[in-house]
Amino acid sequence: MTSNHDNYRPKRYTLVALCFCAAFICYIDRINISVAAIAMQDAFGWTDTVKGFVLSSFFVGYLGMQVAGGWLAHRIGGKLVLGVAVIWWSVFTILTPPAAMLTFSMLIVVRIAMGFGEAATFPAVYALFAKWVPERERSRTVTLLLSGAPLGVVCALFSSGWIVENMGWPASFYLFGAVGFIWAVVWVLKAYENPGDHPHISPSELELLQNQQPVKGQHFQVPWKKLVTQSAIVALVVNHFCVNWSSYMLMSWLPSYFRDAHGVSITAAGVYSAAPWLTSFVMMNVAGWIADTLLNKGVSLIVVRKSMQTVGLLGAALSLLLTSQADSAPEAMLLMCAALGMLAFTYSGFAPNTLEIAPKYAGILAGISNTVATLPGIIGIVITGWLVDMTGSYSSALALAAVLNILGAIVWIFLARAEPVID
């Protein structure tokens, strides 16, 4: 006979799975406009520069709530903040088509409002993970969480092209927006703020997690000056910025790149664009497993973090430079797979580092880091559109992303640390 103990599944796995789903939904709602914008550009007569402003407007709102989202997560709880955030951005996803049909200004306002809601996602999750995820599980847990992003991108790219061509571009916003409300019901029923709040958690799991409860509530004081001046935090923020420049550029412009540079259809552009993100999803989880395996074999934490980050950034830089020379869509797709597959290794470098250098303030630090790392979503996407208009190709945009990756690797090698720098 099997005992209840034998059948026990750690309750932290449920929380992590739901956070993964939130990240997935976050990105299907964020990315569907990258495909829909091709049809919207034709319908509304946008230039590439104007389309760049549409795609980047989301990040204006995304920039504004990062730090506040982390602060709220520590003050009132990550569960509440994340739940409200998902409902908020789902509403504005559904409002995107009617806003676009009213005025261009209204579309920009709705996209900014949507970004405002999505901004709280990762700060809230990091605040929860600081309570629920043991140190030796952080690499694969954080990479699993973040791999929800490329999986969401894959889903959006594969399906959005078909939806746009067969049902019209507004349908993708209505269908994807509805998913968030389903998730919210499950979140309310299954998620708990603290391990001790869970009525069915085992004593052994509670003991494993009880020593990592961060400060919160009314006595929560934030050492703001230290959070913006420590060299290890500077290294984290710079690297997050550099990684996101490549990610956001490709996220927003990859379908247009395949359509414009290689002459494929909207549906084919979605399929070609999805393959690199599927590679990213797989390699994020492979990299997380490699990182935690190395740690369990005795390799030092700082060596693992520096190795994963540096290999990822330099490998992605080389692949991006080679992509500018691609002669066909399949060749470009393979090189983009290499670029995003290598970049996936960085999510076992800088991403878990947030929980290591400031564990008590992980949500706040995630908000600060995400604030700076959102700038590529604003300026990077617009600059990409401007470079395409000015040069008639994507080569300059790809080269700029490669240079930033190399810069990030240099900063990381010299400044990164893997122990608490703030008590």
Side-chain angles (χ1 to χ4, degrees), residues 373-386:
T374 297
L375 293 176
I378 301 172
I379 60 174
I381 292 174
V382 172
I383 287 173
T384 298
W386 178 79

Side-chain angles (χ1 to χ4, degrees), residues 345-368:
F345 277 75
T346 67
Y347 295 96
S348 291
F350 83 91
N353 195 238
T354 302
L355 296 166
E356 292 153 0
I357 60 177
K360 292 182 179 180
Y361 309 98
I364 299 287
L365 180 53
I368 293 171

Side-chain angles (χ1 to χ4, degrees), residues 151-286:
L151 189 63
V153 173
V154 169
C155 180
L157 291 174
F158 264 125
S159 58
S160 291
W162 184 90
I163 293 170
V164 168
E165 290 196 334
N166 291 276
M167 302 174 66
W169 64 264
S172 63
F173 295 97
Y174 299 141
L175 293 173
F176 290 153
V179 177
F181 294 100
I182 299 172
W183 175 92
V185 173
V186 181
W187 181 251
V188 169
L189 296 175
K190 296 294 185 179
Y192 292 85
E193 179 68 27
N194 300 293
D197 297 337
H198 202 299
H200 304 299
I201 194 169
S202 72
S204 60
E205 185 178 12
L206 187 59
E207 182 180 2
L208 174 66
L209 301 173
Q210 67 182 357
N211 293 325
Q212 51 186 60
Q213 300 304 306
V215 292
K216 66 180 185 69
Q218 297 299 316
H219 303 293
F220 181 65
Q221 299 294 325
V222 182
W224 294 107
K225 184 176 180 180
K226 290 184 177 180
L227 280 170
V228 297
T229 58
Q230 294 285 336
S231 60
I233 291 176
V234 172
L236 172 70
V237 172
V238 168
N239 272 260
H240 198 170
F241 177 94
C242 295
V243 169
N244 274 17
W245 187 285
S246 294
S247 294
Y248 286 154
M249 178 193 70
L250 297 178
M251 212 173 280
S252 297
W253 284 101
L254 208 49
S256 296
Y257 163 76
F258 280 111
R259 205 277 293 264
D260 298 341
H262 298 288
V264 302
S265 68
I266 294 178
T267 298
V271 173
Y272 277 120
S273 300
W277 292 106
L278 182 60
T279 303
S280 178
F281 167 74
V282 172
M283 293 311 299
M284 273 192 192
N285 288 287
V286 169

